[in-house]
Amino acid sequence: MIRQPYLLFLGDAADSLAAKVAQGIRDWRPDAAIGQYRMPGCNADVGLEDMSIEAAREAGARTLVIGVANRGGFIPDAWRSVLVKALDAGLDIASGLHNLLCDEPDLVARAGAKGCRLHDVRIPSVSYPIANGQKRRGRRCLGVGTDVSVGKMYTALAMDREMRRRGMKSTFRATGQTGILITGDGVPLDAVIADFMAGSIEYISPENDEDHWDLIEGQGSLFHASYSGVTLALIHGAQPDALVLCHDPARSEMRGLPGYRLPSLPELGDVALRMARMVNPACQLAAVSVNTKSLGDDEARACVAAVEAETRLTTTDPFRFGAGRLVDALPE
């Protein structure tokens, strides 16, 4: 178990999206985080008190969580002095980076000397099977995005929370490091060997009651040259009954791919539905989730209305306006 509360390490994040791990924990587990640590040049802020390592330890922090998801998932040299200082203060460290803490001899040695623990949440803890494609009982909803980091996890979490509020049977299924840190369980999908990715999703979303919904955290984008493979594996492993299209209207091009335009929502819906119906012919496009974080209230409402008119699908921002309309749009 990762000890709480957390000090969220934002490092030298270039922008708020780079600190999406920390922001996710701040938004969905506010009780678990007591402060943030930012290095000079950090352009992210999750709205917590800025704390030094010493102040956080005195306030009760038990674990420094690396809340930055940089491209490539590596530990920059500039971070090392902070990580060592955290271990010297008696803090554990938790990370979802591809660059594993357990592969860093200096951190391993310092943690051992100080009696601290290193948690790599991106190490698969199960020997996942190859997907068999067999239909299983229960209902499943998956968010698919026009790009990476557009709100797929927030959509699933918001829908799960609304379903639970209504007394419906539902479970959020985490597939990435932020979701795992929020819920304490899940599969680090992009760290699973390719042949077993779809099987890992079958594994974490097993047979269930006919009226139970799994809200499966989406990853990547079918249209993103870097991460499309993980998205397709997730679609085929989930065998979704419903797809929710996820979009950030402020994007002008793919994140990390200058010059690559985002697909339109109708384009995304057409491709994603064809892929999903390979494994579940009954799959339906249910709704659109729009991330309006960059817009004012009036602009957000106008954007939602425009997207709904364009796609003829129920549309809302579930984090801003609630997920009720998305839940209502799920197939019977």
Side-chain angles (χ1 to χ4, degrees):
M1 295 294 293
I2 301 176
R3 296 190 295 173
Q4 299 177 2
Y6 303 148
L7 173 64
L8 302 180
F9 176 68
L10 276 59
D12 49 3
D15 55 31
S16 59
L17 275 179
K20 67 177 185 178
V21 175
Q23 189 66 60
I25 294 171
R26 170 67 177 85
D27 287 341
W28 295 98
R29 287 296 306 279
D31 57 308
I34 64 171
Q36 64 184 20
Y37 184 101
R38 298 190 291 170
M39 297 173 61
C42 180
N43 293 318
D45 185 350
V46 299
L48 293 173
E49 179 181 353
D50 286 297
M51 288 185 166
S52 66
I53 298 293
E54 296 80 6
R57 188 68 181 90
E58 290 178 6
R62 306 296 290 169
T63 302
L64 179 79
V65 172
I66 296 179
V68 186
N70 53 18
R71 187 173 176 84
F74 67 99
I75 299 174
D77 288 339
W79 293 3
R80 290 184 180 276
S81 62
V82 178
L83 302 183
V84 169
K85 191 173 185 179
L87 293 170
D88 285 343
L91 293 178
D92 297 340
I93 301 177
S95 170
L97 297 173
H98 287 294
N99 185 170
L100 302 178
L101 298 171
C102 66
D103 288 339
E104 299 300 317
D106 56 334
L107 298 181
V108 171
R110 192 62 64 96
K114 296 297 180 178
C116 299
R117 288 172 287 185
L118 302 176
H119 300 276
D120 286 301
V121 301
R122 229 176 188 137
I123 296 179
S125 58
V126 174
S127 295
Y128 297 112
I130 291 177
N132 58 36
Q134 295 177 3
K135 182 64 178 174
R136 51 204 193 273
R137 288 182 297 110
R139 314 298 300 281
R140 290 161 190 87
C141 177
L142 174 67
V144 291
T146 52
D147 193 9
V148 301
S149 302
V150 292
K152 298 181 291 292
M153 182 189 74
Y154 275 55
T155 298
L157 282 165
M159 292 179 71
D160 177 54
R161 182 168 62 185
E162 174 63 17
M163 287 181 168
R164 290 173 180 269
R165 187 190 69 79
R166 297 183 184 190
M168 299 172 67
K169 299 175 185 177
S170 72
T171 305
F172 169 74
R173 304 294 187 181
T175 62
Q177 72 270 29
T178 309
I180 293 171
L181 285 165
I182 291 170
T183 65
D185 192 22
V187 55
L189 185 59
D190 60 6
V192 175
I193 294 173
D195 278 358
F196 303 96
M197 287 195 296
S200 73
I201 301 305
E202 289 184 351
Y203 179 90
I204 66 163
S205 179
E207 285 204 346
N208 217 313
D209 294 341
E210 293 290 356
D211 59 347
H212 178 280
W213 280 93
D214 273 349
L215 287 307
I216 301 174
E217 178 187 3
Q219 297 291 337
S221 171
L222 288 171
F223 287 80
H224 198 289
S226 303
Y227 308 116
S228 58
V230 72
T231 310
L232 184 58
L234 200 153
I235 290 173
H236 286 169
Q239 296 181 358
D241 298 281
L243 295 173
V244 175
L245 309 182
C246 301
H247 179 60
D248 181 347
R251 298 283 177 90
S252 59
E253 57 187 20
M254 290 280 186
R255 183 165 175 79
L257 295 179
Y260 276 75
R261 71 171 183 87
L262 270 66
S264 69
L265 284 162
E267 284 179 307
L268 171 63
D270 178 61
V271 173
L273 191 60
R274 281 190 286 132
M275 297 299 101
R277 285 182 172 172
M278 290 179 182
V279 290
N280 183 358
C283 183
Q284 298 180 31
L285 293 180
V288 181
S289 174
V290 182
N291 178 355
T292 64
K293 183 178 181 179
S294 64
L295 306 178
D297 285 346
D298 290 343
E299 290 177 304
R301 291 188 177 89
C303 176
V304 166
V307 169
E308 186 158 306
E310 176 193 11
T311 62
R312 299 183 181 180
L313 292 170
T314 298
T315 303
T316 192
D317 181 332
F319 192 69
R320 189 172 202 160
F321 302 126
R325 296 191 71 219
L326 299 186
V327 174
D328 291 339
L330 292 175
E332 296 292 335

